[in-house]
Amino acid sequence: MGEVVGAGLLAHAPTIMLPQEIRYELNEGSEITLVTGLHGLHEDVFANETLDYDTVVVFDSHWATTVEYVVASHERRSGLYTSEELPRGMRQIPYDIPGDPELAEATASFAGKHGTWITPIDDPCLPIHYATVNLWHYLGVPGKRWMSIGCCQTADVEDNLRLGRALADAIAAVDRKVLLVASGALSHTFWSLRELRDHEASDPVHVRTPEARAADEERLAWMAEGDHARILRTMPEFLTQKPEARFGHYLMMLGALGAERCTAPGRMYGAYENATGTGQAHMWFDRPAAGWTKGN
């Protein structure tokens, strides 16, 4: 019987891919903790030989679909990645990522049960996005498979939870041990171009508005406490702060963990930081000994 053995809301901000000297220059002479946090996660979780897992599933907030959820079902994706958004900082990044087509197909097979639409695609011309590549660059381990799922831009909260439930059924059906990665930000409003270069440091004082920062920090506190139900109840309020991908990456992950019944507490890797106005953090959830939905 397969299971989710760990999960996290992880930041893929483009600054993590800049050379160290440029990161220091932008951040007033210090390293951004988004980078040190990923190094910590690699050591503690992804490359930890005591943690038994087969596949990493990435909910990719930069991969926008419209009429269905799409799952990358390739045997392998490899090449050089250059971002159309930021080619100066993310240029010809090599990647060689084994996939999990069996899990992708199984996820789609549970779409009808959960009242949603999921299509596995293995087209070699299907683009890959930096919300996957950046995190694989830091966290990928030889022999471990990675499978990406796009965020559907017409999906609401319930739709995203349904995708997660279908994935959970697929994980059980094909007997996979899986790490879930919700790759994306919290609040996600940039400074205007004329102002942006004054707000590139990681200090959260640079997050676009005090209200956005407060909403982000409130939800991170709830995650640390395992109060995911409260995050779900307050999604209408959080949506006014424009979370990345309407927070679909986190919601899909949560759907796979039991939605409002999930009580797993999280721990931060690094600090809550700014990235050109957006709120970024790494929050990791270990599988509790009693399961993801203890007490429910």
Short mmCIF file of all heavy atoms in Angstrom, two decimals, residues 74 76-78 95 121-129:
data_model
loop_
_atom_site.label_atom_id
_atom_site.label_comp_id
_atom_site.label_asym_id
_atom_site.label_seq_id
_atom_site.Cartn_x
_atom_site.Cartn_y
_atom_site.Cartn_z
N HIS A 74 6.03 11.40 -18.75
CA HIS A 74 7.23 10.99 -19.46
C HIS A 74 8.03 9.95 -18.67
O HIS A 74 8.06 9.97 -17.44
CB HIS A 74 8.15 12.20 -19.68
CG HIS A 74 7.48 13.38 -20.30
ND1 HIS A 74 6.65 14.21 -19.59
CD2 HIS A 74 7.55 13.87 -21.57
CE1 HIS A 74 6.20 15.18 -20.40
NE2 HIS A 74 6.73 14.99 -21.60
N ARG A 76 11.22 10.03 -19.01
CA ARG A 76 12.35 10.87 -18.62
C ARG A 76 12.23 12.20 -19.35
O ARG A 76 11.78 12.26 -20.49
CB ARG A 76 13.67 10.18 -18.99
CG ARG A 76 14.90 10.89 -18.50
CD ARG A 76 16.17 10.07 -18.73
NE ARG A 76 17.06 10.20 -17.59
CZ ARG A 76 17.14 9.34 -16.59
NH1 ARG A 76 16.37 8.27 -16.60
NH2 ARG A 76 17.97 9.55 -15.58
N ARG A 77 12.61 13.27 -18.68
CA ARG A 77 12.71 14.58 -19.31
C ARG A 77 14.14 15.08 -19.13
O ARG A 77 14.66 15.08 -18.00
CB ARG A 77 11.72 15.57 -18.68
CG ARG A 77 10.27 15.27 -19.00
CD ARG A 77 9.32 16.28 -18.40
NE ARG A 77 9.25 16.14 -16.95
CZ ARG A 77 8.58 16.97 -16.15
NH1 ARG A 77 7.96 18.03 -16.67
NH2 ARG A 77 8.53 16.77 -14.85
N SER A 78 14.75 15.51 -20.22
CA SER A 78 16.13 15.97 -20.12
C SER A 78 16.36 17.06 -21.16
O SER A 78 15.66 17.15 -22.16
CB SER A 78 17.12 14.82 -20.33
OG SER A 78 16.97 14.26 -21.62
N TYR A 95 19.04 19.64 -17.07
CA TYR A 95 18.19 18.80 -16.23
C TYR A 95 18.07 17.42 -16.88
O TYR A 95 18.12 17.27 -18.10
CB TYR A 95 16.80 19.42 -16.04
CG TYR A 95 15.99 19.59 -17.30
CD1 TYR A 95 15.09 18.60 -17.72
CD2 TYR A 95 16.12 20.72 -18.10
CE1 TYR A 95 14.35 18.74 -18.89
CE2 TYR A 95 15.39 20.88 -19.26
CZ TYR A 95 14.51 19.88 -19.65
OH TYR A 95 13.79 20.02 -20.81
N ILE A 121 0.18 13.32 -20.11
CA ILE A 121 0.79 13.71 -21.38
C ILE A 121 2.28 13.38 -21.36
O ILE A 121 2.99 13.80 -20.43
CB ILE A 121 0.60 15.22 -21.66
CG1 ILE A 121 -0.88 15.59 -21.77
CG2 ILE A 121 1.37 15.63 -22.91
CD1 ILE A 121 -1.57 15.06 -23.02
N ASP A 122 2.74 12.65 -22.38
CA ASP A 122 4.16 12.33 -22.46
C ASP A 122 4.81 12.90 -23.72
O ASP A 122 5.89 12.47 -24.14
CB ASP A 122 4.38 10.81 -22.41
CG ASP A 122 3.77 10.08 -23.60
OD1 ASP A 122 3.14 10.74 -24.46
OD2 ASP A 122 3.95 8.84 -23.67
N ASP A 123 4.18 13.89 -24.31
CA ASP A 123 4.70 14.55 -25.51
C ASP A 123 6.10 15.11 -25.22
O ASP A 123 6.26 15.93 -24.30
CB ASP A 123 3.74 15.68 -25.91
CG ASP A 123 4.10 16.35 -27.22
OD1 ASP A 123 5.29 16.35 -27.59
OD2 ASP A 123 3.19 16.89 -27.87
N PRO A 124 7.12 14.72 -25.99
CA PRO A 124 8.46 15.23 -25.70
C PRO A 124 8.60 16.73 -25.93
O PRO A 124 9.58 17.33 -25.44
CB PRO A 124 9.36 14.44 -26.68
CG PRO A 124 8.44 14.00 -27.77
CD PRO A 124 7.11 13.77 -27.11
N CYS A 125 7.66 17.33 -26.63
CA CYS A 125 7.69 18.78 -26.85
C CYS A 125 6.97 19.57 -25.77
O CYS A 125 6.93 20.80 -25.81
CB CYS A 125 7.10 19.12 -28.22
SG CYS A 125 8.04 18.46 -29.60
N LEU A 126 6.37 18.87 -24.80
CA LEU A 126 5.69 19.57 -23.71
C LEU A 126 6.71 20.37 -22.91
O LEU A 126 7.70 19.82 -22.43
CB LEU A 126 5.00 18.55 -22.80
CG LEU A 126 4.15 19.12 -21.66
CD1 LEU A 126 2.89 19.78 -22.19
CD2 LEU A 126 3.79 18.01 -20.66
N PRO A 127 6.49 21.67 -22.75
CA PRO A 127 7.48 22.47 -22.01
C PRO A 127 7.58 22.05 -20.55
O PRO A 127 6.64 21.54 -19.96
CB PRO A 127 6.93 23.90 -22.12
CG PRO A 127 6.01 23.88 -23.30
CD PRO A 127 5.41 22.51 -23.31
N ILE A 128 8.75 22.29 -19.98
CA ILE A 128 8.96 22.14 -18.55
C ILE A 128 9.12 23.54 -17.97
O ILE A 128 9.47 24.48 -18.70
CB ILE A 128 10.19 21.26 -18.26
CG1 ILE A 128 10.18 20.78 -16.80
CG2 ILE A 128 11.49 21.96 -18.63
CD1 ILE A 128 11.19 19.67 -16.53
N HIS A 129 8.84 23.71 -16.69
CA HIS A 129 8.81 25.05 -16.10
C HIS A 129 9.77 25.13 -14.92
O HIS A 129 10.11 24.13 -14.29
CB HIS A 129 7.39 25.39 -15.67
CG HIS A 129 6.42 25.39 -16.81
ND1 HIS A 129 6.18 26.49 -17.59
CD2 HIS A 129 5.67 24.39 -17.34
CE1 HIS A 129 5.30 26.20 -18.53
NE2 HIS A 129 4.98 24.92 -18.40
#
